[in-house]
Amino acid sequence: MMAKVKTRVKPKTGTALRATKVDTGSMPTLAVIALTLGLLFWLRQDALDIYWQQTRHGELGLTHLSDAELWHSGADVTKVVSRTLNQQIGAMEETQERLMLAANVLWLGKSALIQKDEPTLAAAQKIHTTNGLTLKAHADGIAANVSTSPVAGKKTNKENGSDAGQSQKESDKVASVSSDAQLHTAEAVTETEENRAVPLTQFASLNEDGRIVLSPSDKVLLVGDSMMQGVAPHVARALQNGNVKSLDLSRQSTGLTYPGYFDWPTTIKNTISKERISVLVVFLGANDTWDMLFGNKYERFGSEKWQSTYASRVESIVRYAHAQHIRVIWLGAPNMGRENINRGVKVLNQLFSAAIKDSASRYLSTRELLSDNAETYQKAITREDGKSVTVRNEDGIHFTRAGQKILSDLILRQFALPTVSKPL
């Protein structure tokens, strides 16, 4: 007779209980994630809306999710926190600047306050800009020269309508302060019109070939989207080799359609007000062939209102630059590998070229350089020697190194650079 073998079967209820336990244990984690996401949306609703508009060209709608004042207060909280952090960072950087200057003074003496290549009063009062504040370095003995050596950017007594007596009082006051403390590390002052770079009084001249004559005292400002990001380094390197300074502010995913995401007209104006720019080079358009947002309503790309608004933004840049005697070189957008964008940039190019109305500036078409046929997109072009060279990336928008070099050469051909003497 065979013995019975008992098999122990685990009850199904235990499995169910264990499963329930796992689910219950994960609930706090899910709750924390949901709460974090909710807090993020509450605090950054406006930024997320703007980002969605720029990248997805549609309305995310977070700011309109609720009319409750509590919901909209999230963006206000973010602004307050951001402003407080920026103030603290600015104070820390100012303190660091003061400590560095004090250390230099202890190590090098008064010579630390004066640029070795600028032995003038203006050099001794070099302005260091840090987060909206300017730090003026002062050395013992400078005050005695203040009344006779005008600082660049300051108006004279005659221009200000003040008399010689007032000027003498100010000089005595400065001398008194200087005698009380022979070496000042730094004095923080709010940036004013007087602290700005000396503005140009005339446009850079043209040579017999029509090229813009640049000197070591000139600076070229390069702005644009990711197309310019690829081209600007080539231009900047060539300018540097010619002893001409440049400033590259190009930034991806930017344009003139969504100023809430990034405001180029304001950025350019603010930069020009602080830098002595001679030429402005602009290369935009890859991110601008989309509907434009007015309040809560989208205006279709290419409509009359859309074009007039976009044109006014282009013209505001050109007009401001001209008012500062700055020449503008505006590059048109090339043919694009995406048909919807390609149709759009043709509209943009018409607006760009229409904004360049006088000889102070110039519009440069790029379509012919990057295509054998100016009306069609090509990934590769045929060189003069008959060889094919790839000039566009797979995305149909950006450029290979060869394409970048073609465009940078186009920009550089507009300039007559200083002759650099080679060492013997």
Side-chain angles (χ1 to χ4, degrees), residues 316-379:
S316 70
I317 294 174
V318 177
R319 187 166 53 249
Y320 183 82
H322 284 182
Q324 310 304 314
H325 297 95
I326 298 172
R327 293 189 182 276
V328 179
I329 298 175
W330 201 297
L331 276 69
N335 292 313
M336 299 292 184
R338 303 180 191 178
E339 186 53 35
N340 60 329
I341 301 180
N342 194 41
R343 289 194 303 269
V345 295
K346 293 179 180 179
V347 175
L348 298 181
N349 287 342
Q350 292 175 356
L351 300 177
F352 294 152
S353 61
I356 308 300
K357 301 174 182 177
D358 55 52
S359 59
S361 299
R362 57 193 65 180
Y363 169 78
L364 304 179
S365 176
T366 62
R367 296 164 64 196
E368 299 82 1
L369 292 175
L370 299 177
S371 297
D372 295 336
N373 181 346
E375 298 302 320
T376 60
Y377 166 83
Q378 290 179 228
K379 184 178 178 181

Side-chain angles (χ1 to χ4, degrees), residues 48 175 209 254 260 271 305 394-395 403:
L48 290 170
D209 298 328
T254 60
T271 303
K305 182 178 181 180
E394 294 295 333
D395 61 7

